[in-house]
Amino acid sequence: MTAPWHKAIRDVWHERTRTILVILAISLGIAGFSAVMSTYAILTRELDRGYLATNPASATLWTDSIDDNLVAAIKSSTAVSDAEPRRTVRARIRTGPMEWRSLVLFIVKDYGDIRVSTLNRETGAWPPGTGEMLIERDAFQVAKAKIGDTVTIKNSDGDEHTLRVTGGVHDVGQAQARMENAVYGYITLATLAQIGEEPYLDQLKILVARDRYDEAHIRAVVDDVKRVMEKNGHPVRRVEIPEPGKHPHAALTGTLLLIISTFGLFVLFLSGIIATNLLTAMMASQVRQIGVMQAVGGSRLQIARIYLAQSLLLGACAVILAIPAGMWGARAMSLYMAKFLNFDITSFAVPLWVYLLVAAVGMIVPLLCALYPVWHAADISIREALTSYGVSGNKLRTSFFDRALAGIARPQLFAIRNSFRRRTRVLLTIATLAAGGVFFMAALNLRSSMIHTLDGLFAQRKYDLMVQFAELSPTENIERAVRNTRGIARAETWIVSQGSTLFSKKPTASHSVGLHGGATTVDKNSFVIIAMPADTHLMQPEIIAGRALKPGDEDTMVVNSALASRLPLDKPARIQMGPGQPTFRVVGIVREPFSPAVAYIPRAFFDARHPGMANSLRLKLDGTPINQVKSDLEANLRKEGLRPIASMSNGDGRYGFDQHMLMIYIFLIVMSAVIALVGGLGLMTTMSLNVMERRREMGILRAIGATPAVVWLMIVIEGVFIGIVSWIVATVIAAPLSKGVSAVLFMAMMKTRLDSIIEIPGILIWLAISIALGAIASFLPAWHASRSSVREALGYE
Amino acid sequence: MIELRGLTKSYETAAGAFPALRDVTLNVPAGEMVAVVGKSGSGKSTLLNLIGGIDYPTSGNVAIAGTSIHTMPAGKLAAWRGRNIGFVFQFFQLLPTLTVAENVMLPMDFIRKVPARERRPRALTLLNRVGVLDQADKLPAALSGGQQQRVAIARALANEPSVILADEPTGNLDSVTAAAVLELFRQIANGGTTVLVVTHERDLAKIIDRKVELADGRIVENAA
């Protein structure tokens, strides 16, 4: 090994403190990068693997009662490899005194022979016996129940029954129960009969024999199956074809991974800035040696090679540190995401390409960071190099900044001016620290914006409680039950239905119950139709274009923001509603963030067709506890022979939103904490470098009478000053950035524009954090500098 | 060996152009030991920098062993310098993370005139010649100032240069060590290498061949 290589290696060891800082800075970025890449690899593989292992149905067809002959007829088709009947019944489960939650009961004919959309047995008994229910593993906490408990449920008639919880299952294809604020239960046909429901199965889940991931083929097979079913006297009223081979949460996971990946790259970029700072400082301290090497015949390339080799060595060390940390991070992140999305990870194995990519990035990043400082330093003239004193002599007392500092006490003035002696370095440090602040403040701004936007949404709803009926019911009976219930200040009967736009020729998926029954295939263009009194007191829509409904309207429609792109303002809208295709005129657009597509029409439209009927009740209470009203009202409705199937308070409706928002908010706060950590590390390295380079000056200060405390204070002031400048930068950037993020991110994820709110406490909290970071980051370097003797400091080179 | 013709060097400063050397003409034959003396700021170091190809003249010619270096591009100049010039500095300027022997081998590694397997033996020979062979595998920090300067001289000789340029090589040494170092330069000059030493030492008459005195960038004395 030649002397230049010896130098490359020994310098790394000789400058141990800086070496450790550089390795830490790079490894932090590489660890973040490796964590997100590994998470990406693990999740994309495991999400689909777990889902596909359940043999998910290619399509589900809803009909009336399905018998064995029908199943056999469908299975006899060569295009269908399997078919299995199921049923889903909506009910409610008691979760506390007068507290009921939505219960979705899945009925399986034979738990010993589930072949399509299988369930994974988790804990307790299997299969459920008569009078027993299994609960989806994520739904236990929603149900506030455990295995062995006896729970009370209400069937669709409102009759109460008890079931014993005997086990837990994992239903991979279901949305997380906590997010939906619903309980998923699994029972047999016999249990269904026991709780007072007709014991039949009405869903046929089919699995196509070939081309399982070809949606067009699946659709063609479904058409054939539908014909067979109808030929056998079973009209198909609804079809659902999920995206083939894709977990229902694949798109959401993709968006989350995209955000996480962007964040990983950002952390990598920030750590690159710190590494560049440190490597620049390392090069600055090497200037004389470079001059000597040039004097003894070293060319620019030969000298640059020594330092680039050092960077590679640092990169290799950083990769060795970063990969285990990144893998640990990937494991934690994958587990969190898996829990959030309710799926299991069977293997945390990371593919080889991730290791290779991380190693390549780990080696290239420090090389890139070093390229400019190395090339620049290797280009310095020998004369300059041999007379270098480390800190350049910038002109002071000439700029506006310097004049603005007039009047500040000299030690503090010295500290503030010192901050800007290495301007590039301090600007990069400020940028790194400010990035943490921007994320933190943007996170708080986003949180406030989300809360404010949701407040606005719920403020439009002037009712406290909504009750949904199983079918159209006489308003006379509903109103009598309301009159007999205490605590209700105002009540209105509404009609909730389903419609779809007609221009789509590509039916793909659906999740609706047609009010009018009838054979129809609904698709992604479906939307909710709410018919309410045109002069309603229980809804105050935020009209953003056109007008609200008004008395006398009949064929008019107000659409919400999610539907406005499909049904434009002032245009006739011909829609599919049950078997009919009425035409409305869109007269207004109401802003409803985070909401699915909804159209509001006057009740008069239904009154002309179904006079005196309604299927929904909205109530404003007078302050009586909501559970009390719910309980009394339900009893009174049943006395009237009505069948309420669901009741939901505004609080219940808000819960799901808050759960989703909480996830985003926590994610943003964690991100800002990580970036603040990187920024703090950046500030610490800058302060260490500043102090190291000015050890001789510290000696001079001490020699002319400065006490160790004064030296210490000057350095801490310098750190705090940088922290405050970064806070100002962050504050200026955070407001427009959070507005931009809310516009882009939320529009992409949720098709919603947020109200823009600036969280003032967030600005003040970050000021405190910036000052604290500045003080903490400069504390140690200041301590060392103030402790070293005058002789040591003056002799430092 | 060294031919300087009408050499002028000016530096741009905030106060305007500062002439460090003015119209200097000087010839130094091979194997001569020359002391360059003068007050601080008289242009001694500038003269050495121009001879060593560390800096370019504002005007005038610099020729070393018949090669005009004032027109040579910087890239070529580094290799030329490594082959033809040996530098010795006041503060020794040894690389702290290389051993003594490695410091001496460094110019050989850069220039590659000496085959790789012969570099260490040659380094040891040179260290022996300057009297610090027993320190070969130590780091410079473990050596005294005089020993470090001997190592620096050995390093300057690594590629058998025709010229040694020493900028105040004794400025940081006690009088006994300084005398020993100057004696070493005398021996090197006796071997045929041209040696230019910038020095403040007064008692030099016995060991030097010529004294060149500078004042305000001009040669005011050039006496053998």
Side-chain angles (χ1 to χ4, degrees):
Chain A
M1 194 184 284
T2 59
W5 292 109
H6 278 297
K7 176 173 167 49
I9 295 165
R10 291 214 194 108
D11 277 0
V12 167
W13 177 245
H14 186 68
E15 295 285 350
R16 283 185 290 279
T17 311
R18 284 186 210 184
T19 299
I20 289 168
L21 285 172
V22 174
I23 291 174
L24 267 182
I26 299 170
S27 59
L28 201 62
I30 304 295
F33 179 73
S34 114
V36 295
M37 291 314 296
S38 308
T39 305
Y40 178 85
I42 292 168
L43 289 186
T44 45
R45 181 191 62 217
E46 296 292 321
L47 184 65
D48 286 343
R49 181 193 280 179
Y51 178 60
L52 293 176
T54 65
N55 225 10
S58 307
T60 304
L61 297 96
W62 274 259
T63 181
D64 45 21
S65 178
I66 297 171
D67 53 35
D68 290 345
N69 291 337
L70 179 63
V71 176
I74 302 300
K75 283 170 77 172
S76 68
S77 163
T78 53
V80 175
S81 73
D82 212 337
E84 203 180 313
R86 296 270 178 87
R87 188 173 170 198
T88 306
V89 171
R90 300 195 78 86
R92 279 173 295 165
I93 182 168
R94 187 199 294 272
T95 54
M98 290 186 289
E99 189 185 328
W100 295 83
R101 293 246 165 101
S102 180
L103 171 67
V104 183
L105 287 169
F106 296 92
I107 297 94
V108 175
K109 189 179 177 188
D110 181 0
Y111 279 84
D113 187 29
I114 303 178
R115 303 175 310 275
V116 183
S117 298
T118 57
L119 302 170
N120 297 330
R121 183 182 169 181
E122 282 272 316
T123 47
W126 177 276
T130 304
E132 293 175 350
M133 175 170 69
L134 307 180
I135 288 182
E136 214 287 328
R137 66 181 187 183
D138 193 62
F140 274 99
Q141 48 187 300
V142 184
K144 296 180 183 170
K146 58 184 186 303
I147 293 172
D149 285 356
T150 298
V151 293
T152 304
I153 68 157
K154 276 185 184 175
N155 66 10
S156 56
D157 286 329
D159 299 329
E160 289 186 15
H161 297 271
T162 56
L163 291 174
R164 210 163 74 84
V165 179
T166 55
V169 296
H170 178 205
D171 193 349
V172 181
Q174 295 301 328
Q176 199 193 26
R178 275 176 298 163
M179 292 287 176
E180 302 302 313
N181 199 20
V183 176
Y184 304 137
Y186 300 82
I187 58 170
T188 60
L189 270 170
T191 306
L192 185 66
Q194 197 180 65
I195 63 171
E197 299 281 356
E198 285 284 313
Y200 66 89
L201 303 173
D202 63 354
Q203 297 167 17
L204 192 65
K205 291 188 177 292
I206 65 160
L207 204 59
V208 297
R210 59 180 179 82
D211 298 333
R212 285 189 183 175
Y213 305 128
D214 180 351
E215 195 175 329
H217 172 70
I218 293 170
R219 201 174 300 126
V221 172
V222 164
D223 283 344
D224 291 343
V225 169
K226 199 171 153 190
R227 266 193 295 277
V228 172
M229 288 173 78
E230 283 170 351
K231 199 173 146 191
N232 281 275
H234 297 279
V236 175
R237 57 188 166 89
R238 186 177 148 202
V239 172
E240 185 178 301
I241 302 172
E243 195 177 344
K246 288 283 165 203
H247 189 282
H249 297 142
L252 177 63
T253 312
T255 310
L256 286 173
L257 285 174
L258 182 72
I259 297 169
I260 292 170
S261 304
T262 311
F263 166 66
L265 286 174
F266 188 61
V267 171
L268 185 66
F269 174 70
L270 291 184
S271 74
I273 289 180
I274 298 172
T276 306
N277 251 351
L278 283 158
L279 290 167
T280 306
M282 278 175 89
M283 292 314 298
S285 70
Q286 290 281 318
V287 164
R288 276 196 194 197
Q289 295 191 30
I290 289 170
V292 172
M293 285 191 281
Q294 285 178 326
V296 300
S299 69
R300 186 180 185 183
L301 193 65
Q302 283 174 319
I303 295 167
R305 250 188 346 226
I306 294 174
Y307 294 102
L308 292 178
Q310 279 181 0
S311 306
L312 273 178
L313 188 62
L314 293 173
C317 294
V319 167
I320 291 167
L321 264 185
I323 285 185
M327 293 305 123
W328 179 83
R331 205 182 170 91
M333 207 156 21
S334 301
L335 278 174
Y336 175 76
M337 295 274 285
K339 194 171 169 58
F340 168 61
L341 296 169
N342 194 26
F343 70 93
D344 286 330
I345 293 177
T346 53
S347 162
F348 287 98
V350 174
L352 182 65
W353 68 264
V354 173
Y355 289 105
L356 293 176
L357 183 67
V358 168
V361 169
M363 305 295 270
I364 288 168
V365 164
L367 206 58
L368 287 176
C369 295
L371 216 52
Y372 174 73
V374 167
W375 198 245
H376 178 70
D379 193 35
I380 195 167
S381 79
I382 302 175
R383 189 175 57 79
E384 285 174 311
L386 294 177
T387 55
S388 166
Y389 290 99
V391 180
S392 61
N394 293 320
K395 290 176 188 170
L396 292 173
R397 279 213 169 275
T398 52
S399 67
F400 169 78
F401 176 71
D402 292 308
R403 286 195 298 276
L405 295 176
I408 296 177
R410 215 170 312 280
Q412 286 84 334
L413 185 69
F414 185 65
I416 292 171
R417 278 189 182 154
N418 271 341
S419 312
F420 287 92
R421 283 172 73 172
R422 290 281 192 190
R423 286 185 189 169
T424 311
R425 180 189 300 167
V426 82
L427 288 177
L428 290 175
T429 307
I430 288 170
T432 320
L433 203 53
V438 167
F439 262 81
F440 179 82
M441 286 188 268
L444 290 187
N445 287 349
L446 274 177
R447 176 179 171 271
S448 294
S449 301
M450 289 188 294
I451 290 171
H452 189 268
T453 307
L454 280 174
D455 286 347
L457 174 67
F458 280 86
Q460 295 182 33
R461 302 175 185 180
K462 301 295 176 191
Y463 52 86
D464 300 311
L465 182 63
M466 178 196 87
V467 179
Q468 194 67 28
F469 297 95
E471 65 272 303
L472 282 173
S473 310
T475 52
E476 191 187 337
N477 297 43
I478 297 172
E479 284 162 1
R480 194 160 41 239
V482 167
R483 278 197 301 276
N484 292 334
T485 307
R486 281 189 306 169
I488 297 172
R490 182 182 282 274
E492 287 181 10
T493 50
W494 293 9
I495 293 176
V496 178
S497 181
Q498 197 81 26
S500 66
T501 43
L502 287 172
F503 41 77
S504 169
K505 289 181 179 173
K506 189 184 172 193
T508 50
S510 159
H511 33 66
S512 68
V513 180
L515 175 71
H516 302 278
T520 176
T521 299
V522 288
D523 54 48
K524 279 177 181 168
N525 296 312
S526 66
F527 56 89
V528 176
I529 297 172
I530 297 177
M532 57 190 185
D535 58 349
T536 178
H537 289 84
L538 297 184
M539 184 78 181
Q540 198 172 57
E542 184 189 341
I543 299 291
I544 51 173
R547 64 169 177 84
L549 298 173
K550 62 182 183 186
D553 282 348
E554 188 176 323
D555 296 333
T556 52
M557 176 182 272
V558 170
V559 297
N560 74 354
S561 23
L563 187 58
S565 59
R566 285 187 272 154
L567 297 177
L569 185 65
D570 291 333
K571 295 270 169 59
R574 189 159 160 260
I575 63 168
Q576 180 80 47
M577 189 158 68
Q581 295 184 344
T583 301
F584 292 87
R585 181 161 192 84
V586 180
V587 296
I589 298 172
V590 55
R591 180 172 175 240
E592 283 188 335
F594 307 113
S595 292
V598 178
Y600 295 93
I601 62 172
R603 257 211 65 159
F605 175 86
F606 279 105
D607 287 342
R609 291 158 182 80
H610 304 280
M613 303 295 274
N615 67 356
S616 183
L617 176 62
R618 312 287 158 129
L619 302 164
K620 178 78 186 161
L621 308 188
D622 62 3
T624 308
I626 198 160
N627 283 332
Q628 181 67 54
V629 176
K630 273 164 89 174
S631 176
D632 293 350
L633 177 65
E634 236 176 279
N636 290 329
L637 287 170
R638 289 188 64 194
K639 272 185 209 162
E640 295 292 333
L642 301 168
R643 290 203 304 154
I645 54 162
S647 65
M648 188 192 280
S649 67
N650 267 347
D652 293 335
R654 181 77 187 251
Y655 180 82
F657 283 112
D658 287 343
Q659 286 295 304
H660 282 86
M661 297 301 139
L662 185 68
M663 189 272 296
I664 295 170
Y665 171 59
I666 288 174
F667 180 66
L668 286 171
I669 289 292
V670 169
M671 283 206 303
S672 53
V674 172
I675 293 172
L677 189 73
V678 177
L681 182 66
L683 182 56
M684 192 175 277
T685 57
T686 294
M687 293 311 300
S688 303
L689 294 173
N690 287 352
V691 169
M692 253 190 273
E693 285 174 359
R694 297 203 297 264
R695 286 278 286 276
R696 208 178 270 189
E697 280 180 20
M698 308 289 169
I700 295 168
L701 287 171
R702 295 278 303 282
I704 62 173
T707 60
V710 167
V711 172
W712 180 86
L713 188 67
M714 276 167 47
I715 297 166
V716 171
I717 287 174
E718 195 179 327
V720 169
F721 179 73
I722 294 173
I724 290 173
V725 173
S726 80
W727 168 76
I728 294 169
V729 173
T731 306
V732 169
I733 296 172
L737 186 88
S738 44
K739 196 172 178 179
V741 168
S742 69
V744 176
L745 185 69
F746 278 78
M747 195 51 82
M749 281 178 74
M750 299 182 178
K751 310 287 177 220
T752 289
R753 180 178 58 79
L754 290 184
D755 297 337
S756 183
I757 300 293
I758 293 175
E759 180 81 351
I760 301 296
I763 295 174
L764 299 176
I765 291 168
W766 188 253
L767 173 63
I769 292 174
S770 298
I771 291 172
L773 274 177
I776 293 165
S778 54
F779 180 85
L780 269 182
W783 180 260
H784 285 303
S786 65
R787 293 293 119 185
S788 63
S789 71
V790 178
R791 187 187 53 76
E792 280 172 349
L794 287 174
Y796 183 80
E797 191 176 347
Chain B
M1 168 54 62
I2 299 173
E3 294 173 63
L4 309 180
R5 292 279 172 271
L7 209 55
T8 297
K9 176 67 185 176
S10 295
Y11 293 111
E12 289 300 321
T13 68
F18 170 75
L21 279 184
R22 303 166 198 241
D23 195 24
V24 169
T25 296
L26 178 68
N27 284 322
V28 181
E32 196 167 78
M33 180 170 172
V34 179
V36 181
V37 298
K39 290 180 182 170
S40 178
S42 60
K44 305 184 295 293
S45 296
T46 304
L47 182 69
L48 247 63
N49 287 347
L50 295 179
I51 295 170
I54 279 180
D55 217 344
Y56 286 97
T58 308
S59 64
N61 300 341
V62 182
I64 310 293
T67 305
S68 293
I69 63 163
H70 59 282
T71 53
M72 201 181 276
K76 281 189 178 175
L77 205 52
W80 174 86
R81 197 169 42 235
R83 285 174 185 275
N84 297 286
I85 306 287
F87 278 98
V88 179
F89 305 99
Q90 181 181 356
F91 293 105
F92 329 129
Q93 308 286 16
L94 298 176
L95 301 192
T97 53
L98 293 182
T99 63
V100 163
E102 286 165 350
N103 263 284
V104 179
M105 288 158 68
L106 185 66
M108 298 185 239
D109 289 333
F110 283 141
I111 299 304
R112 295 174 189 167
K113 191 166 100 180
V114 180
R117 64 178 179 282
E118 293 173 20
R119 288 174 197 165
R120 184 169 165 86
R122 175 164 172 75
L124 297 181
T125 304
L126 290 169
L127 289 171
N128 189 32
R129 188 170 159 192
V130 299
V132 285
L133 178 62
D134 54 338
Q135 310 293 326
D137 293 318
K138 291 181 181 171
L139 288 174
L143 274 62
S144 69
Q147 286 172 320
Q148 287 195 47
Q149 195 60 298
R150 284 167 185 271
V151 176
I153 293 168
R155 183 179 66 185
L157 294 168
N159 288 319
E160 292 184 304
S162 50
V163 178
I164 295 280
L165 301 173
D167 193 356
E168 300 193 31
T170 55
N172 224 25
L173 303 175
D174 61 76
S175 57
V176 176
T177 313
V181 165
L182 289 172
E183 179 53 35
L184 199 51
F185 281 125
R186 178 68 261 174
Q187 289 169 19
I188 292 165
N190 292 344
T193 305
T194 307
V195 178
L196 259 77
V197 184
V198 169
T199 182
H200 290 293
E201 298 291 333
R202 293 179 180 184
D203 192 16
L204 291 168
K206 289 178 193 166
I207 59 165
I208 62 169
D209 299 313
R210 189 208 299 248
K211 184 169 100 175
V212 173
E213 185 171 353
L214 289 170
D216 297 328
R218 294 181 197 280
I219 294 177
V220 294
E221 186 187 341
N222 183 358

